[in-house]
Amino acid sequence: MKHAALCVILFSMPVKSPGVPQARRIAPTIQIADNAEVRAALSWFARNLSWINDQQARLTEIPAPPFQEAQRAAAVKVLLSSSGLDVQVDSTGNVVGELRGLNEKEIVVLAAHLDTVFPPGTDVKVRRDSSRMSAPGISDNGTGLAALVAISRAIHEAGLRPQRTILFVADVGEEGEGNLRGMRALVDAYRARLKSILVLDGSGTDHVTTKALASRRLEVLITGPGGHSWSDFGLPNPINALIRGSVRFINTKVPGNPRTTFNLGQIEGGTSVNSIPYQAKLKVDIRSESEDELSKLESALRECISAGVRDEMDSVRDRSKGKLEWKVELLGSRPGGELLANSPLLAALRAADEYLGNQSRIERSSTDANIPLSNGIDAISIGAGGSGGGAHSLQEWYEPAGREMGLKRALLTILGAAGIAEERAR
């Protein structure tokens, strides 16, 4: 059964390049399970798990706050270069390592995001307790980056050459207000040649994201004249108005189906306890399985803030001293999308699961895969093995037990998408 499953991987995305004769593609009698170079790549992981863990810890300890990923990118570039890849950093900040295939007109991508949600100054020192590693960002996405590096090294050490060109990409801007800018730039740059994208995000082997969850990030800004808490008492207060509007908004009813959520993630304003603030800000994340519900929720936010400002102005004693102004700005928008059920990339993933004896469920989530999926390009997001918890918190942790299966799963899937050059597959 394993041989049959891996044969499905090999043929899940047949290459039809006019410049490559049929006989030079993938011989139909060859099965990946019988390929010495594939076996060598798969076995490389077990012998180098300690090295992979160390690379994960090292990369995690290089801070990569939103829009400040350059230092970590430089470290990943060195690692990918040592795997024999032609590596460049593009104008957006993505690290792109190229493994040329026989067919350079078609590209598949293996990607993992560089950035974390944590602000500058966060202590990202990795703490080890037996095999467990703990640090902000250790799993999301230290795991994905370590897997990206490990898979490139395993392919290099085994001497594998793909049919299609593979790009190993460590991309920027996946988290928060990054608005998937790295993946957007990648898709724009390679759109004409892109066949599929496999995203490595976090840990685990129990899921595959084939449905892109649409989301919007919004910032509310309310401004006023400001003043002294005693002598100017009665002036309109932006924080008061923000609170009034926020209380209205958190009581908004959202449907369970299609699932729709909101989160008030950041709030700031004021200069001192005895000053009436001149501004107040609020950042809100809204998500939904339905674009219509997403639009309704954004409209509800605007209506609630407008009402909060109105209520605050109605409460002031003297309107001649100033009034409040407000606006809601879009910080980022992640489009939705969905992979077709007959996707060759999904077939490759399922075949890898069958070969490895792994079971995984289909999920909807917000990842780098949103961008290619919204553009009609085959893409999935998977975990890179092991287990983790506390994502986006200071207590984040990663346990490497089970990492090897995740690495094999990703390797077999990307090889299924790319194919193996015949001269290497003999």
Side-chain angles (χ1 to χ4, degrees):
M1 180 62 71
K2 288 186 176 182
H3 284 198
L6 279 179
C7 195
V8 172
I9 296 175
L10 188 58
F11 300 117
S12 63
M13 294 188 70
V15 178
K16 297 180 180 179
S17 172
V20 182
Q22 179 68 33
R24 289 196 56 192
R25 295 180 202 161
I26 303 169
T29 57
I30 296 172
Q31 296 178 345
I32 288 183
D34 293 326
N35 179 276
E37 288 150 344
V38 173
R39 291 199 305 270
L42 291 170
S43 65
W44 185 89
F45 297 128
R47 299 192 308 274
N48 292 278
L49 287 174
S50 178
W51 180 85
I52 298 169
N53 293 340
D54 289 344
Q55 299 315 304
Q56 180 174 351
R58 186 170 74 87
L59 291 173
T60 299
E61 290 182 342
I62 302 173
F67 302 96
Q68 298 181 41
E69 303 99 332
Q71 186 179 357
R72 183 177 289 183
V76 173
K77 180 182 179 182
V78 170
L79 288 168
L80 292 180
S81 296
S82 68
S83 293
L85 302 178
D86 179 10
V87 187
Q88 306 293 329
V89 177
D90 69 18
S91 60
T92 307
N94 297 323
V95 183
V96 182
E98 182 180 42
L99 177 60
R100 290 186 181 87
L102 287 184
N103 176 8
E104 297 184 31
K105 295 181 179 180
E106 296 182 338
I107 290 174
V108 299
V109 172
L110 184 66
H113 70 84
L114 285 160
D115 55 322
T116 69
V117 300
F118 304 99
T122 302
D123 182 2
V124 290
K125 178 68 177 177
V126 174
R127 302 172 300 282
R128 300 201 189 211
D129 181 8
S130 187
S131 61
R132 175 171 291 198
M133 298 186 286
S134 299
I138 187 67
S139 181
D140 181 14
N141 194 29
T143 312
L145 290 173
L148 182 75
V149 169
I151 292 168
S152 70
R153 184 66 61 87
I155 289 175
H156 175 66
E157 294 295 327
L160 278 165
R161 187 180 183 190
Q163 179 67 48
R164 288 173 168 150
T165 291
I166 301 176
L167 297 184
F168 294 82
V169 179
D171 59 284
V172 299
E174 194 274 342
E175 300 285 11
E177 295 172 35
N179 200 30
L180 306 182
R181 72 184 194 282
M183 186 56 69
R184 291 177 195 272
L186 188 77
V187 169
D188 286 345
Y190 296 96
R191 185 188 304 268
R193 293 189 286 160
L194 272 178
K195 293 302 175 183
S196 60
I197 297 178
L198 177 60
V199 173
L200 302 173
D201 199 342
S203 59
T205 57
D206 58 351
H207 70 279
V208 50
T209 297
T210 65
K211 303 174 183 180
L213 177 62
S215 68
R216 297 177 192 173
R217 281 81 188 267
L218 302 138
E219 182 179 70
V220 177
L221 175 64
I222 303 177
T223 58
H228 193 279
S229 63
W230 172 259
S231 60
D232 294 314
F233 180 70
L235 285 178
N237 187 315
I239 290 181
N240 290 354
L242 190 62
I243 291 172
R244 294 176 192 272
S246 297
V247 169
R248 284 176 178 263
F249 180 67
I250 63 176
N251 286 303
T252 301
K253 302 298 183 183
V254 295
N257 185 24
R259 188 182 177 198
T260 303
T261 67
F262 59 81
N263 181 63
L264 279 60
Q266 284 183 285
I267 187 168
E268 59 184 81
T271 55
S272 70
V273 69
N274 60 334
S275 298
I276 299 172
Y278 62 88
Q279 72 173 24
K281 291 182 179 180
L282 171 69
K283 291 182 181 179
V284 183
D285 174 274
I286 59 175
R287 306 184 183 212
S288 181
E289 295 174 342
S290 162
E291 288 284 354
D292 287 343
E293 292 297 332
L294 202 62
S295 296
K296 289 178 184 178
L297 197 53
E298 181 177 347
S299 295
L301 176 63
R302 295 177 186 276
E303 291 169 4
C304 289
I305 295 302
S306 177
V309 170
R310 183 180 64 247
D311 290 348
E312 175 64 11
M313 288 302 301
D314 287 344
S315 72
V316 302
R317 298 180 177 182
D318 185 357
R319 296 194 179 191
S320 66
K321 294 184 177 180
K323 63 177 183 177
L324 297 178
E325 303 286 347
W326 69 275
K327 61 181 178 179
V328 177
E329 292 188 338
L330 184 66
L331 296 177
S333 177
R334 298 188 176 198
E338 191 165 330
L339 190 70
L340 294 177
N342 63 351
S343 160
L345 180 60
L346 182 59
L349 185 279
R350 287 306 192 200
D353 276 342
E354 184 177 352
Y355 176 76
L356 295 169
N358 184 58
Q359 293 185 344
S360 59
R361 63 185 182 276
I362 286 178
E363 287 188 347
R364 183 186 298 273
S365 188
S366 180
T367 70
D368 269 326
N370 282 45
I371 299 303
L373 285 174
S374 69
N375 283 276
I377 299 168
D378 275 13
I380 58 177
S381 178
I382 62 174
S387 58
H392 292 196
S393 79
L394 299 179
Q395 291 74 45
E396 191 170 347
W397 59 270
Y398 177 75
E399 171 59 60
R403 182 198 284 279
E404 187 177 352
M405 178 180 284
L407 295 170
K408 290 180 176 180
R409 183 181 185 227
L411 172 65
L412 292 173
T413 302
I414 201 66
L415 290 180
I420 302 174
E422 182 189 352
E423 64 249 34
R424 291 285 187 175
R426 288 191 183 279

